[in-house]
């Protein structure tokens, strides 16, 4: 059970109810959005970070799933399994994210990105080799976007853990295939 009471539409101020309504146009409101509505001054704009990374949806989801796994964020993993499937990842690829270093499912660039996630999870400053590998063929803006993407999902994982945020339906599991 979450450590805070998540708001319902009826418990919110009218101006925040309008925000709820806009967010609900895409489907049922996720618990992470409800959590952020506890403090309406906080706005999450993950879509702009997704775009700023310059990654394809498929590769972006590999990176996010690895960040979720590195932080053992059940909520984040659960939500992004669905998004990853929608982005074209197979269940075998999703499962492969958990042990990517021994998997043959990923390209050299994808492996470099997954290694970069692991380096950022272990150290504030990734190694020069890991940094050079993700910089290859990318603009400085894309490198900043990728780093922001990874660290955003680390931050969200920390928040979800701090508040014991639960998935809306039973957890899909660390192995989905």
């Amino acid at each position: 059970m979450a450590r805070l009471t998540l708001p319902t539409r009826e418990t919110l101020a009218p101006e925040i109810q309008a925000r709820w309504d806009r967010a609900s146009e895409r489907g049922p409101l996720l618990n992470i959005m409800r959590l952020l509505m506890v403090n309406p001054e906080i706005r999450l704009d993950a879509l702009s970070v997704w775009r700023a990374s310059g990654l394809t949806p498929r590769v972006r989801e590999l990176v996010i799933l690895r960040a979720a796994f590195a932080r053992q964020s059940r909520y984040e993993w659960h939500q992004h399994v669905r998004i990853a499937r929608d982005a074209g990842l197979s269940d075998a690829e999703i499962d492969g994210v958990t042990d990517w270093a021994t998997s043959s499912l990923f390209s050299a660039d994808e492996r470099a990105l997954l290694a970069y996630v692991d380096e950022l999870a272990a150290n504030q400053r990734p190694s020069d080799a890991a940094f050079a590998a993700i910089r290859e063929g990318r603009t400085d803006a894309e490198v900043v976007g990728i780093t922001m993407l990874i660290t955003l999902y680390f931050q969200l994982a920390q928040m979800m853990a701090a508040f014991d945020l639960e998935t809306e339906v039973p957890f899909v599991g660390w192995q989905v295939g």
Side-chain angles (χ1 to χ4, degrees):
M1 175 177 285
R3 295 172 102 180
L4 298 176
T5 302
L6 299 179
T8 61
R9 185 184 184 283
E10 296 72 32
T11 62
L12 297 169
E15 62 275 9
I16 307 305
Q17 285 181 352
R19 186 169 149 191
W20 177 293
D21 293 343
R22 283 189 305 279
S24 295
E25 290 173 1
R26 296 182 299 248
L29 207 62
L30 299 176
N31 286 346
I32 186 61
M33 301 308 294
R34 293 174 61 204
L35 175 65
L36 293 174
M37 286 184 187
V38 169
N39 183 338
E41 294 299 317
I42 298 172
R43 303 254 180 177
L44 174 63
D45 188 5
L47 294 177
S48 70
V49 177
W50 289 7
R51 286 189 299 271
S53 74
L55 300 174
T56 65
R58 177 189 189 289
V59 176
R60 177 197 70 226
E61 290 307 314
L62 285 173
V63 167
I64 293 170
L65 285 170
R66 186 61 193 176
F69 186 75
R71 290 292 192 248
Q72 291 293 288
S73 178
R74 292 167 53 101
Y75 187 92
E76 202 165 71
W77 177 270
H78 179 87
Q79 295 302 338
H80 282 273
V81 163
R82 175 184 47 80
I83 298 168
R85 286 173 173 155
D86 289 346
L89 272 86
S90 69
D91 284 353
E93 290 170 317
I94 293 168
D95 288 345
V97 166
T98 64
D99 193 22
W100 68 268
T102 63
S103 175
S104 61
L105 295 172
F106 306 112
S107 71
D109 185 58
E110 291 166 345
R111 295 173 67 74
L113 288 161
L114 294 167
Y116 189 64
V117 173
D118 287 357
E119 291 238 359
L120 284 171
N123 306 293
Q124 283 188 330
R125 185 184 185 278
S127 69
D128 291 341
F131 187 80
I134 66 128
R135 195 162 190 273
E136 183 71 31
R138 292 190 168 88
T139 67
D140 289 353
E142 289 168 333
V143 173
V144 170
I146 289 165
T147 305
M148 181 66 185
L149 177 73
I150 296 164
T151 58
L152 170 65
Y153 280 89
F154 287 169
Q155 176 190 19
L156 288 170
Q158 186 77 41
M159 284 190 64
M160 293 166 193
F163 296 113
D164 291 335
L165 195 64
E166 298 174 344
T167 57
E168 296 78 13
V169 297
F171 178 58
V172 20
W174 294 111
Q175 295 292 304
V176 298

